[in-house]
Amino acid sequence: AAFRGGEPWLAEVLGYLDGSRKLLAGLLARHLPQVRYRPPDGTYLAWLDCTALDLDGSPGDLVTERGHITVVDGPRFGDGGAGSFRFNFATPQPVMAEMIERIAAVLQGS
């Protein structure tokens, strides 16, 4: 069934994810302009580099503990991950907007 009739659904999902990828860039520019983000080419997982924020503590841990948003902290991916975290943007766009606002409140309040 997916091969016979799934193309319209897949096109819709891919279009929505592309919109979310662009929305995330805009939300970060507005709420967390110091956070570096390069939109991924083929996934719904964003790498958010917070090293310019000079935080006391790991940004992924802060977001998870204080913002109550589960992210994967950068050091879990190896030595180069310090100061960063992975964010899943495959979620309804209004929910993602709220998540970024909460992340900004946590990271700017630290």
Side-chain angles (χ1 to χ4, degrees):
F3 286 112
R4 286 190 304 274
E7 285 185 31
W9 172 85
L10 180 59
E12 183 179 342
V13 168
L14 292 175
Y16 194 85
L17 287 173
D18 188 47
S20 295
R21 187 178 1 263
K22 293 172 184 170
L23 176 61
L24 178 57
L27 290 167
L28 290 171
R30 187 174 326 125
H31 298 288
L32 286 165
Q34 310 92 324
V35 172
R36 291 190 329 213
Y37 161 67
R38 181 186 160 281
D41 294 327
T43 182
Y44 48 83
L45 300 170
W47 187 257
L48 303 183
D49 181 346
C50 303
T51 53
L53 294 173
D54 196 30
L55 298 169
D56 290 331
S58 178
D61 289 343
L62 292 170
V63 167
T64 299
E65 293 168 11
R66 297 182 189 170
H68 306 287
I69 299 168
T70 301
V71 298
V72 181
D73 201 37
R76 295 186 77 193
F77 297 99
D79 293 336
S84 302
F85 64 91
R86 189 175 73 179
F87 176 78
N88 182 335
F89 60 83
T91 187
Q93 291 173 356
V95 172
M96 183 178 63
E98 180 182 338
M99 292 168 71
I100 294 301
E101 290 171 7
R102 287 173 46 195
I103 290 170
V106 166
L107 296 181
Q108 291 171 341
S110 294

XYZ file of all heavy atoms in Angstrom:
833
model
N 0.827 -1.197 0.000
C 0.000 0.000 0.000
C 0.870 1.259 0.000
O 0.545 2.236 -0.668
C -0.928 -0.006 1.206
N 1.971 1.232 0.760
C 2.831 2.405 0.819
C 3.457 2.701 -0.542
O 3.565 3.862 -0.943
C 3.929 2.203 1.856
N 3.838 1.652 -1.274
C 4.438 1.858 -2.594
C 3.400 2.305 -3.623
O 3.696 3.094 -4.510
C 5.132 0.580 -3.084
C 6.425 0.313 -2.367
C 6.543 -0.767 -1.517
C 7.518 1.150 -2.553
C 7.729 -1.018 -0.850
C 8.714 0.907 -1.885
C 8.818 -0.179 -1.030
N 2.169 1.829 -3.474
C 1.132 2.172 -4.446
C 0.507 3.528 -4.169
O 0.167 4.249 -5.096
C 0.044 1.099 -4.453
C 0.474 -0.178 -5.134
C -0.697 -1.124 -5.342
N -1.406 -1.450 -4.107
C -1.078 -2.424 -3.260
N -0.029 -3.177 -3.516
N -1.777 -2.655 -2.188
N 0.334 3.893 -2.914
C -0.397 5.120 -2.620
C 0.248 6.038 -1.607
O -0.397 6.970 -1.139
N 1.499 5.782 -1.267
C 2.133 6.555 -0.206
C 2.833 7.825 -0.640
O 3.246 8.623 0.206
N 2.983 8.041 -1.935
C 3.727 9.219 -2.384
C 3.120 10.546 -1.937
O 3.856 11.433 -1.505
C 3.924 9.174 -3.896
C 4.979 8.160 -4.294
C 5.270 8.185 -5.776
O 5.165 9.262 -6.393
O 5.596 7.118 -6.306
N 1.803 10.727 -2.012
C 1.248 12.010 -1.538
C 1.513 12.245 -0.044
O 1.856 13.351 0.367
C -0.248 11.896 -1.830
C -0.348 10.898 -2.930
C 0.775 9.922 -2.679
N 1.395 11.191 0.757
C 1.664 11.320 2.192
C 3.125 11.687 2.422
O 3.430 12.590 3.197
C 1.328 10.004 2.901
C 1.756 10.000 4.331
C 1.053 10.501 5.398
C 2.994 9.510 4.857
N 1.788 10.349 6.551
C 2.984 9.741 6.256
C 4.106 8.901 4.291
C 4.040 9.378 7.086
C 5.153 8.539 5.118
C 5.109 8.780 6.493
N 4.031 10.979 1.746
C 5.455 11.248 1.912
C 5.789 12.673 1.486
O 6.534 13.372 2.178
C 6.288 10.240 1.118
C 7.803 10.408 1.205
C 8.286 10.302 2.656
C 8.497 9.385 0.319
N 5.240 13.130 0.394
C 5.489 14.504 -0.062
C 4.999 15.507 0.972
O 5.663 16.520 1.239
C 4.813 14.741 -1.407
N 3.853 15.235 1.583
C 3.316 16.131 2.605
C 4.214 16.156 3.838
O 4.516 17.229 4.378
C 1.905 15.695 2.996
C 1.247 16.614 3.990
C -0.166 16.176 4.343
O -0.776 15.385 3.599
O -0.666 16.640 5.386
N 4.656 15.000 4.276
C 5.539 14.925 5.445
C 6.859 15.636 5.171
O 7.334 16.418 6.004
C 5.788 13.457 5.861
C 6.912 13.347 6.878
C 4.518 12.847 6.419
N 7.439 15.389 4.018
C 8.716 16.033 3.684
C 8.561 17.548 3.588
O 9.437 18.295 4.038
C 9.288 15.456 2.394
C 9.749 14.000 2.473
C 10.185 13.507 1.094
C 10.847 13.819 3.501
N 7.459 18.006 3.041
C 7.195 19.446 2.980
C 7.037 20.053 4.359
O 7.545 21.150 4.627
N 6.338 19.343 5.244
C 6.159 19.842 6.608
C 7.498 19.908 7.345
O 7.799 20.893 8.023
C 5.173 18.960 7.370
C 4.686 19.582 8.656
C 3.616 20.463 8.648
C 5.296 19.299 9.868
C 3.158 21.053 9.815
C 4.849 19.875 11.042
C 3.784 20.749 11.012
O 3.343 21.331 12.177
N 8.309 18.865 7.195
C 9.625 18.859 7.843
C 10.515 19.965 7.298
O 11.265 20.583 8.054
C 10.305 17.501 7.681
C 9.732 16.373 8.527
C 10.383 15.048 8.159
C 9.875 16.666 10.007
N 10.425 20.243 6.009
C 11.206 21.334 5.448
C 10.741 22.665 6.038
O 11.556 23.517 6.382
C 11.087 21.362 3.923
C 12.024 22.363 3.296
O 13.220 22.382 3.662
O 11.562 23.144 2.443
N 9.432 22.828 6.191
C 8.914 24.030 6.844
C 9.383 24.132 8.285
O 9.712 25.224 8.768
N 9.436 23.015 8.972
C 9.905 23.005 10.367
C 11.382 23.349 10.452
O 11.810 24.078 11.353
C 9.660 21.629 10.992
O 8.269 21.375 11.071
N 12.162 22.853 9.531
C 13.599 23.144 9.477
C 13.808 24.658 9.328
O 14.627 25.254 10.013
C 14.192 22.376 8.297
C 15.648 22.378 8.131
C 16.159 21.544 6.942
N 15.191 20.869 6.105
C 14.833 19.585 6.215
N 15.371 18.828 7.128
N 13.952 19.059 5.399
N 13.030 25.277 8.432
C 13.125 26.724 8.209
C 12.579 27.505 9.405
O 13.142 28.529 9.791
C 12.391 27.095 6.933
C 13.067 26.546 5.692
C 12.226 26.748 4.455
C 12.900 26.094 3.251
N 12.004 26.068 2.087
N 11.480 27.028 9.980
C 10.912 27.679 11.159
C 11.903 27.652 12.314
O 12.072 28.655 13.020
C 9.603 27.002 11.568
C 8.944 27.515 12.848
C 8.571 28.991 12.720
C 7.720 26.670 13.182
N 12.571 26.534 12.505
C 13.563 26.434 13.575
C 14.653 27.475 13.390
O 15.054 28.143 14.350
C 14.164 25.027 13.635
C 15.245 24.792 14.677
C 14.740 25.118 16.083
C 15.745 23.355 14.604
N 15.122 27.652 12.173
C 16.150 28.668 11.908
C 15.639 30.054 12.303
O 16.359 30.829 12.943
C 16.558 28.643 10.444
N 14.411 30.361 11.963
C 13.838 31.656 12.316
C 13.642 31.829 13.814
O 13.909 32.906 14.355
N 13.176 30.797 14.469
C 12.971 30.857 15.921
C 14.295 31.052 16.649
O 14.378 31.837 17.600
C 12.279 29.592 16.418
C 10.817 29.421 16.011
C 10.346 28.000 16.299
C 9.941 30.437 16.728
N 15.315 30.351 16.209
C 16.627 30.508 16.841
C 17.177 31.907 16.596
O 17.739 32.521 17.505
C 17.595 29.443 16.335
C 17.296 28.016 16.800
C 18.170 27.014 16.059
C 17.469 27.889 18.300
N 17.016 32.421 15.394
C 17.501 33.775 15.096
C 16.802 34.799 15.979
O 17.419 35.764 16.435
C 17.271 34.096 13.616
N 15.539 34.588 16.256
C 14.762 35.523 17.073
C 15.039 35.365 18.568
O 15.201 36.353 19.280
C 13.273 35.315 16.809
C 12.375 36.330 17.481
C 10.908 36.205 17.108
N 10.718 35.774 15.730
C 9.991 34.712 15.379
N 9.394 33.976 16.292
N 9.861 34.372 14.115
N 15.081 34.137 19.056
C 15.156 33.890 20.502
C 16.553 33.559 21.016
O 16.846 33.805 22.187
C 14.197 32.765 20.896
C 12.762 33.075 20.633
N 12.049 33.979 21.377
C 11.909 32.615 19.683
C 10.815 34.052 20.915
N 10.711 33.238 19.885
N 17.381 32.965 20.184
C 18.724 32.533 20.595
C 19.722 32.794 19.472
O 20.311 31.862 18.910
C 18.724 31.042 20.945
C 18.075 30.647 22.262
C 17.811 29.154 22.305
C 18.946 31.078 23.422
N 19.935 34.046 19.114
C 20.799 34.331 17.962
C 22.245 33.884 18.142
O 22.958 33.720 17.150
C 20.701 35.856 17.820
C 20.248 36.354 19.148
C 19.414 35.254 19.741
N 22.679 33.642 19.371
C 24.055 33.195 19.606
C 24.237 31.706 19.313
O 25.355 31.230 19.172
C 24.476 33.450 21.062
C 24.212 34.838 21.569
C 22.842 34.952 22.248
O 21.867 34.334 21.842
N 22.774 35.764 23.292
N 23.143 30.972 19.247
C 23.211 29.524 19.017
C 23.416 29.268 17.525
O 22.670 29.779 16.688
C 21.932 28.825 19.523
C 21.909 27.356 19.110
C 21.833 28.946 21.038
N 24.440 28.494 17.215
C 24.723 28.163 15.821
C 23.922 26.932 15.413
O 23.853 25.945 16.156
C 26.211 27.925 15.615
C 27.018 29.188 15.764
C 28.453 29.038 15.343
N 28.960 27.685 15.558
C 30.206 27.401 15.872
N 31.085 28.351 16.004
N 30.590 26.150 16.050
N 23.351 27.035 14.218
C 22.509 25.964 13.679
C 22.671 25.952 12.166
O 22.531 26.980 11.511
C 21.055 26.222 14.057
C 20.024 25.483 13.239
C 19.904 24.104 13.318
C 19.156 26.173 12.414
C 18.940 23.434 12.576
C 18.187 25.506 11.672
C 18.086 24.141 11.762
O 17.140 23.476 11.035
N 22.997 24.794 11.660
C 23.026 24.586 10.213
C 21.911 23.608 9.894
O 21.935 22.471 10.370
C 24.371 24.015 9.782
C 24.483 23.800 8.291
C 25.797 23.079 7.959
N 25.757 22.457 6.670
C 25.167 21.302 6.361
N 24.556 20.612 7.286
N 25.206 20.832 5.142
N 20.917 24.046 9.125
C 19.806 23.133 8.828
C 20.313 21.825 8.221
O 21.127 21.848 7.286
C 18.963 23.920 7.818
C 19.266 25.352 8.117
C 20.719 25.360 8.516
N 19.868 20.702 8.753
C 20.323 19.416 8.223
C 19.736 19.150 6.838
O 18.649 19.610 6.510
C 19.796 18.409 9.253
C 18.638 19.087 9.892
C 18.944 20.553 9.871
N 20.479 18.415 6.047
C 20.044 18.114 4.686
C 19.012 16.985 4.618
O 18.148 17.012 3.754
C 21.254 17.728 3.816
C 22.199 18.888 3.608
O 21.728 20.038 3.543
O 23.417 18.649 3.521
N 19.109 16.012 5.495
C 18.241 14.859 5.313
C 17.740 14.228 6.589
O 17.601 13.016 6.642
N 17.484 14.994 7.599
C 17.000 14.423 8.847
C 16.159 15.464 9.574
O 16.091 16.621 9.168
C 18.174 13.958 9.733
O 17.648 13.361 10.924
C 19.081 15.103 10.109
N 15.517 15.045 10.621
C 14.718 15.951 11.448
C 15.388 16.175 12.804
O 14.749 16.542 13.773
C 13.300 15.408 11.639
C 13.256 13.952 12.052
C 13.415 13.574 13.371
C 13.079 12.960 11.091
C 13.393 12.249 13.749
C 13.041 11.633 11.454
C 13.200 11.281 12.785
O 13.182 9.964 13.149
N 16.689 15.958 12.842
C 17.463 16.164 14.057
C 18.418 17.336 13.837
O 19.210 17.328 12.903
C 18.245 14.898 14.419
C 17.371 13.666 14.673
C 18.230 12.422 14.782
C 16.515 13.855 15.907
N 18.317 18.329 14.700
C 19.149 19.520 14.587
C 20.251 19.471 15.630
O 20.041 19.021 16.757
C 18.294 20.772 14.805
N 21.410 19.964 15.246
C 22.548 20.089 16.156
C 22.637 21.554 16.533
O 22.852 22.411 15.679
C 23.809 19.607 15.452
C 25.002 19.538 16.333
C 26.042 20.415 16.376
C 25.294 18.538 17.306
N 26.964 20.015 17.312
C 26.524 18.865 17.896
C 24.623 17.393 17.736
C 27.107 18.089 18.889
C 25.210 16.625 18.725
C 26.436 16.970 19.290
N 22.420 21.869 17.804
C 22.426 23.252 18.272
C 23.701 23.493 19.084
O 23.894 22.904 20.148
C 21.183 23.543 19.109
C 19.851 23.289 18.396
C 18.686 23.669 19.294
C 19.774 24.004 17.073
N 24.552 24.357 18.566
C 25.840 24.670 19.175
C 25.675 25.910 20.054
O 25.459 27.010 19.550
C 26.869 24.914 18.078
C 28.260 25.229 18.614
O 28.400 25.529 19.819
O 29.201 25.197 17.813
N 25.798 25.721 21.347
C 25.579 26.779 22.327
C 26.878 27.308 22.929
O 26.841 28.007 23.948
C 24.688 26.247 23.451
S 23.107 25.606 22.899
N 28.004 27.003 22.326
C 29.279 27.384 22.931
C 29.420 28.890 23.097
O 30.078 29.345 24.036
C 30.467 26.824 22.122
O 30.329 27.206 20.749
C 30.522 25.305 22.214
N 28.800 29.686 22.241
C 28.908 31.143 22.352
C 28.165 31.694 23.569
O 28.386 32.841 23.964
C 28.375 31.808 21.084
N 27.310 30.894 24.177
C 26.557 31.346 25.354
C 27.394 31.317 26.621
O 26.996 31.900 27.628
C 25.295 30.498 25.544
C 24.241 30.619 24.454
C 23.129 29.600 24.697
C 23.675 32.021 24.402
N 28.516 30.597 26.614
C 29.396 30.499 27.781
C 28.607 30.118 29.037
O 28.596 30.827 30.041
C 30.152 31.818 27.989
C 31.341 31.647 28.920
O 31.926 30.543 28.942
O 31.665 32.615 29.633
N 27.944 28.993 28.968
C 27.061 28.531 30.037
C 27.832 27.850 31.160
O 28.883 27.261 30.936
C 26.050 27.530 29.477
C 25.103 28.056 28.407
C 24.363 26.900 27.761
C 24.126 29.051 29.004
N 27.271 27.936 32.351
C 27.765 27.148 33.474
C 27.031 25.815 33.429
O 25.894 25.713 33.855
C 27.494 27.845 34.812
C 28.342 29.078 35.001
O 29.457 29.119 34.453
O 27.876 30.008 35.692
N 27.647 24.845 32.857
C 27.028 23.540 32.743
C 26.731 23.200 31.297
O 26.872 24.016 30.394
N 26.323 21.984 31.099
C 26.036 21.465 29.774
C 24.666 21.947 29.308
O 23.683 21.800 30.032
C 26.070 19.946 29.835
O 25.750 19.417 28.592
N 24.557 22.523 28.097
C 23.267 23.044 27.656
C 22.192 21.970 27.553
O 21.029 22.214 27.894
C 23.560 23.673 26.300
C 24.830 23.072 25.844
C 25.592 22.722 27.085
N 22.557 20.785 27.111
C 21.570 19.712 27.023
C 21.009 19.329 28.382
O 19.806 19.123 28.531
N 21.885 19.249 29.372
C 21.419 18.946 30.727
C 20.530 20.063 31.262
O 19.499 19.800 31.887
C 22.604 18.743 31.674
C 23.351 17.450 31.416
O 22.801 16.549 30.742
O 24.503 17.335 31.886
N 20.916 21.313 31.025
C 20.106 22.448 31.488
C 18.721 22.426 30.862
O 17.712 22.633 31.548
C 20.808 23.770 31.159
C 22.096 24.072 31.909
C 22.798 25.286 31.303
C 21.814 24.307 33.386
N 18.659 22.202 29.566
C 17.377 22.179 28.854
C 16.493 21.051 29.377
O 15.297 21.239 29.606
C 17.609 22.062 27.331
C 16.332 21.720 26.597
C 18.209 23.355 26.792
N 17.085 19.879 29.564
C 16.305 18.739 30.042
C 15.848 18.937 31.480
O 14.669 18.728 31.798
C 17.124 17.441 29.907
O 17.431 17.243 28.521
C 16.358 16.240 30.431
N 16.743 19.377 32.354
C 16.420 19.496 33.774
C 15.535 20.703 34.088
O 14.583 20.594 34.853
C 17.708 19.576 34.589
C 18.505 18.295 34.568
C 19.914 18.444 35.124
O 20.237 19.492 35.719
O 20.706 17.500 34.944
N 15.857 21.864 33.515
C 15.116 23.085 33.856
C 13.971 23.401 32.894
O 12.973 23.990 33.292
C 16.071 24.269 33.920
C 17.103 24.123 35.011
C 17.983 25.342 35.067
N 19.106 25.121 35.967
C 20.137 25.934 36.069
N 20.197 27.041 35.328
N 21.123 25.664 36.896
N 14.153 23.047 31.623
C 13.118 23.341 30.635
C 12.135 22.212 30.446
O 11.113 22.372 29.799
N 12.452 21.041 31.019
C 11.620 19.842 30.912
C 11.368 19.464 29.457
O 10.262 19.085 29.067
C 10.318 20.016 31.691
C 10.544 20.400 33.119
N 11.026 19.516 34.054
C 10.407 21.592 33.758
C 11.155 20.144 35.222
N 10.792 21.403 35.063
N 12.415 19.620 28.654
C 12.396 19.222 27.246
C 13.541 18.230 27.064
O 14.695 18.560 27.316
C 12.598 20.437 26.316
C 11.462 21.434 26.521
C 12.701 19.999 24.867
C 11.709 22.778 25.882
N 13.214 17.036 26.648
C 14.237 16.013 26.503
C 15.017 16.230 25.210
O 14.438 16.241 24.118
C 13.608 14.611 26.516
O 12.908 14.442 27.748
C 14.671 13.536 26.386
N 16.304 16.450 25.360
C 17.235 16.557 24.232
C 18.392 15.616 24.525
O 18.520 15.121 25.644
C 17.736 18.009 24.037
C 16.581 18.944 23.709
C 18.495 18.510 25.248
N 19.231 15.383 23.533
C 20.393 14.535 23.743
C 21.607 15.447 23.833
O 21.921 16.182 22.897
C 20.554 13.495 22.618
C 21.762 12.608 22.887
C 19.302 12.654 22.490
N 22.268 15.396 24.972
C 23.400 16.267 25.234
C 24.581 15.905 24.333
O 24.862 14.727 24.089
C 23.790 16.146 26.707
C 24.589 17.322 27.199
O 24.301 18.458 26.772
O 25.503 17.118 28.008
N 25.262 16.914 23.840
C 26.356 16.741 22.892
C 27.456 15.795 23.302
O 27.930 15.002 22.469
N 27.937 15.836 24.551
C 29.020 14.922 24.932
C 28.679 13.441 24.750
O 29.581 12.619 24.633
C 29.263 15.260 26.404
C 28.898 16.709 26.492
C 27.698 16.841 25.578
N 27.416 13.100 24.674
C 27.048 11.696 24.435
C 27.463 11.237 23.044
O 27.498 10.042 22.759
C 25.555 11.500 24.637
C 25.163 11.752 26.092
C 23.753 11.434 26.362
N 23.618 9.987 26.450
C 22.452 9.367 26.435
N 21.344 10.049 26.333
N 22.401 8.057 26.523
N 27.804 12.210 22.167
C 28.231 11.890 20.809
C 29.743 11.929 20.648
O 30.254 11.754 19.560
C 27.580 12.856 19.806
C 26.083 12.743 19.788
C 25.306 13.645 20.492
C 25.455 11.727 19.094
C 23.928 13.532 20.491
C 24.084 11.610 19.085
C 23.312 12.516 19.792
N 30.468 12.192 21.736
C 31.919 12.216 21.685
C 32.489 13.532 22.174
O 31.768 14.450 22.562
N 33.804 13.624 22.134
C 34.511 14.789 22.667
C 34.111 16.094 22.001
O 34.081 17.135 22.639
C 36.029 14.595 22.537
C 36.544 13.484 23.436
O 35.875 13.191 24.449
O 37.600 12.921 23.123
N 33.813 16.098 20.721
C 33.459 17.322 20.014
C 32.073 17.843 20.319
O 31.692 18.907 19.837
N 31.313 17.141 21.131
C 29.932 17.536 21.389
C 29.726 18.489 22.547
O 28.612 18.964 22.769
N 30.772 18.803 23.289
C 30.631 19.698 24.439
C 30.062 21.041 23.997
O 30.464 21.597 22.975
C 31.965 19.892 25.128
N 29.107 21.544 24.754
C 28.505 22.842 24.471
C 27.379 22.790 23.468
O 26.852 23.827 23.057
N 26.980 21.593 23.073
C 25.937 21.429 22.061
C 24.915 20.395 22.516
O 25.136 19.668 23.471
C 26.552 20.959 20.734
O 27.512 21.872 20.284
N 23.801 20.354 21.790
C 22.830 19.284 22.007
C 22.056 19.026 20.723
O 22.007 19.862 19.824
C 21.888 19.562 23.186
C 20.986 20.751 23.037
C 19.719 20.629 22.493
C 21.395 22.002 23.472
C 18.887 21.718 22.378
C 20.569 23.104 23.372
C 19.298 22.963 22.820
N 21.461 17.836 20.661
C 20.648 17.447 19.508
C 19.188 17.675 19.839
O 18.708 17.298 20.904
C 20.899 15.985 19.155
C 20.246 15.586 17.844
C 20.617 14.188 17.466
N 19.903 13.272 18.348
C 19.980 11.954 18.277
N 20.763 11.388 17.383
N 19.312 11.189 19.097
N 18.484 18.304 18.903
C 17.083 18.675 19.079
C 16.262 18.055 17.951
O 16.588 18.214 16.776
C 16.972 20.205 19.055
C 15.571 20.732 19.136
C 14.908 20.765 20.349
C 14.930 21.217 18.011
C 13.622 21.265 20.436
C 13.640 21.717 18.084
C 12.989 21.740 19.297
N 15.185 17.373 18.305
C 14.304 16.734 17.337
C 13.194 17.718 16.971
O 12.383 18.083 17.818
C 13.730 15.458 17.962
C 12.846 14.686 17.024
O 12.261 15.215 16.086
N 12.720 13.401 17.291
N 13.161 18.148 15.700
C 12.129 19.107 15.301
C 10.983 18.458 14.527
O 10.163 19.157 13.919
C 12.736 20.286 14.523
C 13.449 19.940 13.251
C 12.749 19.754 12.068
C 14.820 19.825 13.231
C 13.406 19.455 10.895
C 15.492 19.539 12.062
C 14.777 19.344 10.892
N 10.873 17.141 14.580
C 9.752 16.439 13.954
C 8.585 16.411 14.944
O 8.253 15.383 15.529
C 10.153 15.031 13.540
N 8.006 17.569 15.132
C 6.912 17.754 16.075
C 6.000 18.823 15.497
O 6.429 19.569 14.612
C 7.478 18.154 17.469
O 6.434 18.176 18.420
C 8.157 19.507 17.428
N 4.762 18.935 15.946
C 3.919 20.011 15.423
C 4.610 21.369 15.604
O 5.211 21.644 16.649
C 2.646 19.906 16.256
C 2.593 18.465 16.658
C 4.030 18.077 16.878
N 4.525 22.207 14.597
C 5.253 23.467 14.610
C 4.889 24.375 15.784
O 5.784 25.001 16.362
C 5.099 24.175 13.264
C 5.836 23.420 12.169
C 5.600 23.966 10.786
O 4.831 24.889 10.568
N 6.286 23.382 9.814
N 3.611 24.462 16.206
C 3.325 25.280 17.395
C 4.001 24.740 18.653
O 4.449 25.505 19.504
C 1.796 25.229 17.517
C 1.304 24.892 16.148
C 2.380 24.008 15.555
N 4.118 23.425 18.762
C 4.798 22.815 19.902
C 6.289 23.142 19.839
O 6.902 23.492 20.854
C 4.561 21.285 19.930
C 5.407 20.610 20.988
C 3.081 20.988 20.143
N 6.868 23.057 18.641
C 8.280 23.375 18.494
C 8.554 24.828 18.869
O 9.542 25.127 19.536
C 8.771 23.117 17.074
C 10.262 23.387 16.916
S 10.916 23.051 15.285
C 10.031 24.228 14.298
N 7.670 25.738 18.483
C 7.848 27.150 18.828
C 7.854 27.337 20.345
O 8.700 28.056 20.890
C 6.755 27.996 18.187
N 6.961 26.659 21.033
C 6.934 26.739 22.499
C 8.204 26.141 23.100
O 8.768 26.691 24.051
C 5.713 26.020 23.054
C 5.646 26.071 24.567
C 4.463 25.307 25.141
O 3.473 25.069 24.438
O 4.555 24.938 26.326
N 8.672 25.049 22.526
C 9.887 24.422 23.033
C 11.082 25.373 22.903
O 11.870 25.507 23.850
C 10.158 23.116 22.277
C 9.148 22.030 22.560
S 9.256 20.637 21.416
C 10.778 19.875 21.933
N 11.212 26.043 21.775
C 12.339 26.957 21.584
C 12.228 28.135 22.540
O 13.236 28.590 23.094
C 12.434 27.411 20.114
C 12.786 26.227 19.216
C 13.448 28.545 19.958
C 14.113 25.542 19.565
N 11.035 28.622 22.778
C 10.864 29.710 23.758
C 11.289 29.256 25.149
O 11.946 30.000 25.885
C 9.419 30.197 23.758
C 9.049 30.952 22.494
C 7.573 31.253 22.381
O 6.812 31.008 23.348
O 7.166 31.762 21.307
N 10.928 28.042 25.515
C 11.331 27.505 26.830
C 12.830 27.274 26.894
O 13.475 27.568 27.923
C 10.559 26.232 27.130
C 9.106 26.534 27.464
C 8.221 25.332 27.614
N 8.763 24.256 28.407
C 8.255 23.028 28.407
N 7.217 22.731 27.661
N 8.811 22.092 29.151
N 13.413 26.771 25.820
C 14.865 26.575 25.770
C 15.571 27.919 25.919
O 16.541 28.036 26.664
C 15.280 25.852 24.473
C 14.817 24.393 24.510
C 16.780 25.947 24.245
C 14.954 23.647 23.197
N 15.084 28.930 25.237
C 15.691 30.256 25.327
C 15.617 30.785 26.753
O 16.597 31.350 27.267
C 15.001 31.224 24.368
N 14.481 30.605 27.403
C 14.343 31.091 28.787
C 15.350 30.396 29.698
O 15.948 31.037 30.565
C 12.910 30.840 29.273
N 15.547 29.112 29.498
C 16.489 28.358 30.331
C 17.934 28.795 30.059
O 18.692 29.094 30.986
C 16.333 26.838 30.102
C 17.507 26.069 30.681
C 15.031 26.339 30.688
N 18.306 28.838 28.792
C 19.699 29.108 28.457
C 20.092 30.567 28.693
O 21.245 30.852 29.035
C 19.995 28.709 27.014
C 19.868 27.216 26.699
C 20.203 26.938 25.250
C 20.718 26.371 27.648
N 19.169 31.475 28.540
C 19.484 32.881 28.791
C 19.390 33.226 30.266
O 19.965 34.210 30.685
C 18.555 33.779 27.957
C 18.865 33.658 26.486
C 17.845 34.362 25.607
O 16.732 34.648 26.023
N 18.231 34.611 24.371
N 18.709 32.388 31.031
C 18.596 32.614 32.465
C 19.691 31.933 33.260
O 19.763 32.063 34.469
N 20.557 31.178 32.581
C 21.615 30.436 33.290
C 22.841 31.277 33.494
O 23.167 32.166 32.791
C 21.986 29.181 32.484
O 20.892 28.300 32.471
